[in-house]
Amino acid sequence: YNKLYFIVLLIFVTGAISIFGVSSARWRRFPSANTSFPQIYTIKVLNEFYHDPKAFTQGLLYAGNDRLYESTGLYGESSVRKVDLQTGQVEILQRMGSSFFGEGLTLLGNRLFQVTWLTKTGFIYDGKNLTKIGKFTHQMDDGWGLATDGKILYGSDGTSTLYRLDPKTFKVIGKKIVKYNDREVRNLNELEFINGEVWANVWQTDCIARISYKDGRVHGWILLEKLRKELIAAGYIHIDVLNGIAWDSKDNRVFVTGKLWPRLYEIELLPLK
Ligand code: DDQ
Ligand code: CA
C-alpha cells in the first residue's frame, strides 16, 4: 500500500505543479508566440544643434540640404520658418499674426501644408519663399500633427485617431485608432512618416510611438526622457514638452526637439533587450 500511496501522491503533486505553472504563466502574461510585444528603444545623441529657444515647436521636417522647416505656436508668436540645421539660424520667417496658433507642418511637392490649433483652418505656403498661397478646411477634430508619405497627408488631432487626408480636397480618406497592446494611445501630436511607418510624439510624454498605419498598432516606443531632463538640469527650467520629429531620408538621419528647447538633436535608436 505504501508504494501505491506514493504513486498517487506523485501524480497529484506533478499535476498540481503543471496546472499552477500554466496558470501562473498566464497570470504573468509571459511572452508567447501569438503575443507581439513592442520594441523599446533608448537613444544615443549623435549631434546637437542650436534651436531657437523662443520657438514653440509644433511642426518640424527636413527639407534637404541641411535645412529644416518648422511651424511654431503660441498666439502672436506663431510662424512658419526655414532654418539652417548647422547653425539653427532662421533663414526665412513667415509670421502668422495673433489670431492663429501654428501646429503640424509638412511638405508635399513644393508646397507646405500647416494646420492650426482649435480651428479647422489650414494654410498652404510656397516651399521656396514661404509666402502664403492658400487656405483650407479639414475634417479632423482639431489640427495637431501633419506628415506625408509623398502622396497623401497624415494628420493627428490630439485623440488616438490617425487620419489619412486627400491633399487636394482635404477630405478624410482613411483613419485608424492607434493602439498599444489593445489600449488606445491618445494625445497623438507631431508626426513624421519614416520608412513606411508613422512616428508620433505623444503629448506630455517623453515618448515617440512607432505606428504601423495598416493596423494602427504601436510596435515600438522610443524613450527620450533624458533629453528634457538634461536640459532642465542644465538650468533651462522653462522648456515645454518634447515635440518635433524630422527625417532626412537621404542620409537616414532623425532629428528631434521640443517646444522652447534651446537644442535640436540628431539621434540614433538603441533597442532595449
Ligand atoms: N498642442 O500642441 C498640444 C496641440 C497644443 C498645445 C497648446 C499649449 C497651450 C499653451 C498656452 C500657453 C499660453 C501662454
Ligand atoms: Ca515632423
Side-chain angles (χ1 to χ4, degrees):
Y1 282 117
N2 272 353
K3 223 183 209 169
L4 194 64
Y5 276 135
F6 181 74
I7 288 165
V8 168
L9 193 70
L10 198 70
I11 289 167
F12 181 78
V13 168
T14 51
I17 286 171
S18 66
I19 287 165
F20 177 76
V22 167
S23 61
S24 70
R26 277 213 190 115
W27 174 247
R28 290 185 216 147
R29 289 165 150 244
F30 284 145
S32 68
N34 54 15
T35 315
S36 68
F37 282 78
Q39 178 68 57
I40 310 288
Y41 303 87
T42 57
I43 55 152
K44 182 177 158 192
V45 172
L46 299 179
N47 278 300
E48 285 188 28
F49 305 95
Y50 173 83
H51 176 252
D52 177 2
K54 292 200 165 102
F56 196 81
T57 308
Q58 300 286 59
L60 189 73
L61 63 122
Y62 183 74
N65 197 30
D66 269 7
R67 297 297 185 280
L68 299 159
Y69 287 112
E70 186 170 356
S71 165
T72 69
L74 298 178
Y75 294 110
E77 302 289 330
S78 290
S79 70
V80 179
R81 42 182 76 193
K82 189 171 187 181
V83 178
D84 182 321
L85 168 70
Q86 297 295 336
T87 65
Q89 295 308 305
V90 178
E91 291 184 338
I92 311 177
L93 180 68
Q94 179 67 52
R95 295 188 171 279
M96 296 174 68
S98 55
S99 50
F100 285 101
F101 193 113
E103 286 284 341
L105 184 75
T106 194
L107 181 74
L108 180 55
N110 41 30
R111 301 192 304 163
L112 284 162
F113 295 83
Q114 182 197 37
V115 286
T116 60
W117 191 40
L118 303 180
T119 84
K120 293 179 194 252
T121 304
F123 298 106
I124 306 172
Y125 305 85
D126 182 320
K128 279 213 169 53
N129 51 26
L130 302 193
T131 53
K132 200 186 273 181
I133 53 175
K135 200 172 163 172
F136 63 91
T137 303
H138 64 77
Q139 303 164 333
M140 300 186 289
D141 283 356
D142 195 3
W144 284 39
L146 271 189
T148 184
D149 59 4
K151 296 189 197 78
I152 56 126
L153 305 178
Y154 287 78
S156 67
D157 61 4
T159 67
S160 56
T161 304
L162 188 61
Y163 299 83
R164 281 158 66 94
L165 308 175
D166 183 313
K168 290 201 177 70
T169 64
F170 302 98
K171 290 215 151 62
V172 173
I173 51 176
K175 52 182 174 181
K176 284 274 150 54
I177 305 283
V178 174
K179 288 185 177 174
Y180 161 56
N181 283 351
D182 301 325
R183 284 176 206 178
E184 290 188 29
V185 177
R186 298 169 211 274
N187 289 307
L188 298 176
N189 202 5
E190 216 274 338
L191 302 175
E192 195 63 33
F193 194 87
I194 302 181
N195 282 336
E197 301 172 6
V198 180
W199 290 27
N201 281 112
V202 180
W203 187 46
Q204 288 182 320
T205 75
D206 294 307
C207 307
I208 290 173
R210 293 179 60 169
I211 304 160
S212 124
Y213 182 82
K214 77 174 158 36
D215 55 8
R217 287 177 68 122
V218 175
H219 58 83
W221 284 109
I222 310 165
L223 311 181
L224 302 106
E225 75 276 8
K226 76 170 185 186
L227 298 180
R228 194 178 48 80
K229 286 182 179 159
E230 279 173 15
L231 287 174
I232 287 168
Y236 298 104
I237 56 170
H238 297 299
I239 60 168
D240 204 280
V241 293
L242 174 81
N243 202 39
I245 311 164
W247 164 241
D248 169 8
S249 58
K250 189 164 152 277
D251 291 326
N252 273 321
R253 293 186 294 175
V254 179
F255 303 100
V256 296
T257 190
K259 303 179 186 192
L260 309 178
W261 284 23
R263 302 274 180 278
L264 180 138
Y265 304 90
E266 180 192 346
I267 58 162
E268 181 182 276
L269 305 199
L270 306 175
L272 243 184
K273 250 286 148 54

